[in-house]
Amino acid sequence: MTFDIVVCRDENREHGRERNRYISAADEGLSTNIKQIGGTGTAGDPVRVVLTVKNICGAAFRGIIQVRYIFAKSGARFFMPAFMYGHNRGECPQRVENKYPRLRQGDPEPPSSSWWMVRGDRLSHPALFAYDGEKIYGISAAPYICTNEKRTFCGYSCSIDEGSIGWTIGYENAPEFYVSSHDIYEREFVPFEIGAGESVSAEICLYEYCAPAETGVNAAIKDVYYRYHEMPRKGADIKEASKELSDAVSDYAWLDDDCMYSGFVFDDENGYRYNKLGSLSWTNGMSVAYPMLLAASLFNDERKREQALCFINSAVKNSLNKNSGLLYDAVNDGKWSVKGWWLDGMYTKGHSSYVVGQAVYYIIKSYIIERDEFGTIHSDWIELASEVIDVLEKSRNGDWEYPYILSEETGAGLEYDSMAGAWCLAAVSAYMAYTGDMRYLHDAEKSEMHYYNKYVKKMECTGGPLDVSKAPDNESILAYIRSVRLLYTITEKDIYIEHMYDALCYEFSFKFCYNSPVSVPPLSSVGWSSCGGSVTSVANPHIHPMSSSITDEMLWYYRKTGDRYVYDRLCDTIGWGCQTYNRYDREYGYGKKGWMSERFCYSQGLLTERYPDGSPASTWFALMPWASCSIIEGLSGDCRDFTYDRELAE
């Protein structure tokens, strides 16, 4: 292993996109000592060293100390959990609507750079890795250190030209500071101070081991998880949380005159205000109606059921575009169209496979709930699902990939290159599993293998949410996880168990393993925990609850394999969901009991919401039903009677 220790004093820092003037620690009056205390470098047994830096000159040192692990010259793929996957599509066109950090060799224009430095809590795990086609290289150390009762953030760095990864005491956000894809600032340099004669020490773990593919990083991420794991704070129990969340959606978000749920509900001085954002699914619609139908079953609540049925029946009756044979994506003032709120951020107009596929999946799941729990057969639901699936099945390209966007006129595929279509795979897999109609099985298995090889195996799943310009994201893997579970149920082929594990581990890489020390209210004031929450994408750096919707799949996998790691991640996910909403009126500074939004800012990312006095807020001040229903879906299905006690898995 080759690594060096370099430093940059505050007064020597650069302010543009050039690399800082990092020079030898000895040249700045710092002595360094590295003592190996164990380990072999493998995923489960990294080399552990203690780094000690002492200021031996007569004046205080104020700057950044960087430990660089140098493994190759160029060309590697990098993995900084929740921040960087591969090259973050640095090899693709970058003049897109949403800007996010990308890696390119040489001296590219923004948002690409050949190197990145970032504050420690922008990563979901305190570690970063590189893969050169043969080996995984990794470095892990604390995201912050405490000295003299003061907490100082550390940082992480990577360089594709140098072939290096690193950890810093003090930190930079460089070459630019991305608060969000539309809020980009000049680089930020936050130094650490060591007084004359004083020293600082830290333990660092170093990984170097062979791996056949990028998924090899997951073994080391698992090791880091257990080294740094913290439980989320205790919240409600499962049924209590499901009841409080679903009551709030039913009581405050249902719009009876529109036969739909509101996308946002605001509690203003003059009453409730609504931003309807009517959609077929994803941020409203079926992604709300199906979980509410689950809650209606759990609590024998006819009002919740009637509301869910009102929307589903309306969508089934009215949303079909007879020209394309697909369901329209959005509804405004009773008129269905493909003009969802996301339209102006797209490059191709048409039906979204993400929205249509997800809606069909949830319609089928709702059909099963109605049949099995309420004894009602909705034959028109399953007939519509079958008709739409027939169109989707004809739209694959030669790689067996479903489109990203489909024609409003003909239903033909217009744009591909994304995992959004994995929702079509989930829909057809659900249809086969629940109807026994296996005519699509051969093609579905071909599509699954394509999505695995192109996206999952490379640890770079992109193109799920429609508002992030195909950035690597967490959302798209959720459809794939559902699909492989269903395909295993149909075929009992062990390969789907193997693929499901890799997919779960990709999702886990976005899921915080510790509780980030949030300093911005309201999250800082309520004691909110980040552990168990997953970051939405590298372009949208906030935690949102969508991953809480797959707890049934996680529980199924654990029961099938007995895998303790998946069980522990499941406990984190359930625990996070039970503590992340208003347990009483205005707990989070707004709204009623049971309200929650989609946005939880664990770091500096997406701190765009403001209090009336202009100070930043770490969440949105609104009830967002799809967010609540991600938790409800995860708590009201197979996990409704789950006791999340880690000792039960021993």
Side-chain angles (χ1 to χ4, degrees):
M1 294 180 177
T2 302
F3 57 97
D4 60 8
I5 303 166
V6 292
V7 301
C8 178
R9 285 187 178 272
D10 193 6
E11 59 265 30
N12 293 332
R13 60 175 167 159
E14 296 285 351
H15 296 280
R17 285 175 59 84
E18 296 298 320
R19 291 301 302 266
N20 270 336
R21 300 169 185 165
Y22 282 85
I23 63 175
S24 167
D27 291 343
E28 290 288 6
L30 302 178
S31 70
T32 60
N33 178 265
I34 296 175
K35 180 181 179 181
Q36 183 170 341
I37 58 174
T40 60
T42 63
D45 186 30
V47 171
R48 292 179 293 119
V49 301
V50 173
L51 166 69
T52 301
V53 179
K54 185 174 182 179
N55 184 359
I56 57 176
C57 67
F61 170 84
R62 181 176 168 82
I64 293 175
I65 302 163
Q66 184 180 31
V67 180
R68 293 189 302 183
Y69 181 6
I70 302 169
F71 57 89
K73 285 300 179 184
S74 64
R77 287 167 56 78
F78 293 82
F79 298 93
M80 304 170 75
F83 182 81
M84 179 74 64
Y85 290 82
H87 300 155
N88 265 11
R89 290 176 62 83
E91 65 276 12
C92 297
Q94 64 180 18
R95 292 172 187 167
V96 295
E97 173 69 16
N98 296 277
K99 310 296 182 185
Y100 52 88
R102 300 177 184 232
L103 269 173
R104 279 187 183 179
Q105 291 181 264
D107 187 24
E109 65 180 28
S112 288
S113 172
S114 64
W115 60 279
W116 288 96
M117 300 181 74
V118 67
R119 191 169 97 168
D121 60 347
R122 287 296 288 268
L123 277 59
S124 62
H125 295 66
L128 70 158
F129 306 91
Y131 180 62
D132 67 358
E134 297 180 355
K135 282 186 175 183
I136 301 293
Y137 305 88
I139 185 169
S140 175
Y144 58 89
I145 58 177
C146 296
T147 55
N148 300 322
E149 299 183 354
K150 178 183 178 182
R151 181 175 58 231
T152 302
F153 278 103
C154 300
Y156 302 96
S157 65
C158 71
S159 170
I160 192 171
D161 284 347
E162 292 178 348
S164 69
I165 51 180
W167 175 74
T168 66
I169 302 176
Y171 69 89
E172 286 198 72
N173 283 305
E176 288 91 29
F177 174 21
Y178 282 73
V179 173
S180 73
S181 58
H182 293 87
D183 292 286
I184 304 166
Y185 301 92
E186 291 185 0
R187 70 192 298 170
E188 182 182 34
F189 187 98
V190 180
F192 180 78
E193 185 169 317
I194 308 177
E198 295 181 349
S199 62
V200 62
S201 296
E203 183 174 324
I204 301 172
C205 290
L206 301 167
Y207 300 85
E208 182 177 335
Y209 56 93
C210 293
E214 288 87 339
T215 50
V217 303
N218 290 320
I221 290 175
K222 175 181 176 180
D223 183 70
V224 173
Y225 169 84
Y226 283 113
R227 291 179 186 277
Y228 286 93
H229 178 257
E230 297 173 327
M231 288 284 289
R233 67 174 177 147
K234 183 173 176 55
D237 64 36
I238 288 175
K239 288 187 177 178
E240 182 183 10
S242 186
K243 180 78 163 57
E244 291 174 347
L245 287 162
S246 60
D247 282 351
V249 172
S250 181
D251 291 345
Y252 299 104
W254 177 252
L255 303 175
D256 199 49
D257 291 343
D258 297 284
C259 197
M260 61 181 280
Y261 303 91
S262 179
F264 287 77
V265 184
F266 301 94
D267 185 10
D268 294 339
E269 291 181 0
N270 298 322
Y272 302 114
R273 178 168 54 89
Y274 306 98
N275 186 4
K276 296 180 182 180
L277 295 181
S279 67
L280 177 67
S281 198
W282 186 35
T283 54
N284 206 338
M286 287 305 305
S287 63
V288 179
Y290 169 68
M292 290 301 288
L293 198 59
L294 268 180
S297 169
L298 176 59
F299 300 111
N300 194 26
D301 190 323
E302 191 61 26
R303 179 167 174 258
K304 291 185 176 72
R305 180 182 177 226
E306 288 175 356
Q307 291 169 349
L309 292 180
C310 180
F311 176 80
I312 299 171
N313 282 320
S314 176
V316 168
K317 181 179 179 181
N318 300 308
S319 69
L320 180 65
N321 174 2
K322 294 182 180 179
N323 292 327
S324 64
L326 299 171
L327 304 181
Y328 279 118
D329 302 53
V331 58
N332 293 286
D333 298 323
K335 185 177 181 180
W336 288 87
S337 71
V338 296
K339 298 177 180 178
W341 62 263
W342 52 86
L343 175 66
D344 288 334
M346 307 295 290
Y347 293 89
T348 305
K349 179 173 176 278
H351 294 285
S352 160
S353 63
Y354 188 105
V355 176
V356 174
Q358 185 183 93
V360 172
Y361 171 84
Y362 279 135
I363 287 171
I364 295 169
K365 295 281 283 186
S366 298
Y367 173 86
I368 301 303
I369 291 291
E370 278 287 288
R371 185 193 69 187
D372 295 350
E373 301 295 329
F374 296 104
T376 302
I377 302 295
H378 297 276
S379 56
D380 55 332
W381 296 6
I382 208 72
E383 289 169 4
L384 179 69
S386 177
E387 292 172 10
V388 175
I389 286 171
D390 278 340
V391 177
L392 294 173
E393 289 300 290
K394 297 172 184 175
S395 69
R396 292 186 187 89
N397 64 12
D399 293 330
W400 299 92
E401 180 172 308
Y402 292 96
Y404 182 58
I405 299 294
L406 303 99
S407 169
E408 184 181 5
E409 287 74 33
T410 66
L414 298 178
E415 183 180 349
Y416 293 81
D417 186 33
S418 83
M419 270 201 81
W423 274 109
C424 302
L425 181 61
V428 71
S429 300
Y431 179 82
M432 290 188 294
Y434 295 124
T435 68
D437 181 352
M438 296 297 157
R439 57 198 161 109
Y440 306 114
L441 181 57
H442 174 268
D443 290 353
E445 291 193 283
K446 290 279 191 179
S447 289
E448 184 280 329
M449 187 58 72
H450 164 75
Y451 284 115
Y452 179 79
N453 286 330
K454 182 176 180 180
Y455 299 104
V456 181
K457 186 177 179 180
K458 293 184 177 180
M459 290 286 289
E460 192 176 5
C461 299
T462 65
L466 301 172
D467 58 345
V468 295
S469 300
K470 296 185 180 178
D473 71 85
N474 167 259
E475 292 185 21
S476 54
I477 199 65
L478 307 180
Y480 179 85
I481 288 168
R482 289 171 165 96
S483 300
V484 288
R485 174 191 174 178
L486 290 164
L487 287 172
Y488 178 84
T489 300
I490 294 166
T491 68
E492 296 188 344
K493 293 181 179 178
D494 288 342
I495 188 141
Y496 296 124
I497 294 283
E498 297 168 13
H499 288 185
M500 189 172 183
Y501 181 76
D502 287 342
L504 286 169
C505 285
Y506 176 80
E507 196 286 310
F508 296 161
S509 75
F510 284 87
K511 190 182 298 294
F512 262 75
C513 72
Y514 72 101
N515 293 318
S516 178
V518 181
S519 59
V520 177
L523 301 187
S524 61
S525 59
V526 301
W528 174 88
S529 296
S530 57
C531 178
S534 298
V535 178
T536 172
S537 73
V538 302
N540 239 352
H542 69 284
I543 286 176
H544 73 161
M546 193 176 291
S547 293
S548 293
S549 67
I550 61 159
T551 56
D552 280 3
E553 281 68 29
M554 294 167 69
L555 179 60
W556 178 87
Y557 184 89
Y558 167 68
R559 287 174 172 170
K560 199 75 183 172
T561 66
D563 191 294
R564 174 62 187 269
Y565 179 50
V566 174
Y567 178 90
D568 287 343
R569 292 288 199 169
L570 171 62
C571 291
D572 291 345
T573 307
I574 291 175
W576 182 84
C578 289
Q579 59 90 49
T580 200
Y581 67 94
N582 275 349
R583 297 294 312 283
Y584 51 83
D585 289 358
R586 303 190 65 80
E587 180 184 5
Y588 280 74
Y590 73 97
K592 304 297 183 182
K593 180 179 180 179
W595 284 34
M596 70 172 287
S597 80
E598 70 166 48
R599 183 174 301 205
F600 300 90
C601 300
Y602 54 89
S603 179
Q604 303 152 300
L606 275 186
L607 281 174
T608 57
E609 185 74 11
R610 300 285 168 177
Y611 284 100
D613 65 0
S615 60
S618 50
T619 189
W620 271 345
F621 301 125
L623 165 63
M624 300 181 67
W626 84 260
S628 304
C629 284
S630 292
I631 308 292
I632 294 166
E633 181 178 353
L635 301 183
S636 300
D638 295 342
C639 286
R640 62 176 66 184
D641 296 316
F642 178 68
T643 301
Y644 57 105
D645 182 347
R646 291 178 184 275
E647 299 306 315
L648 295 180
E650 294 291 356

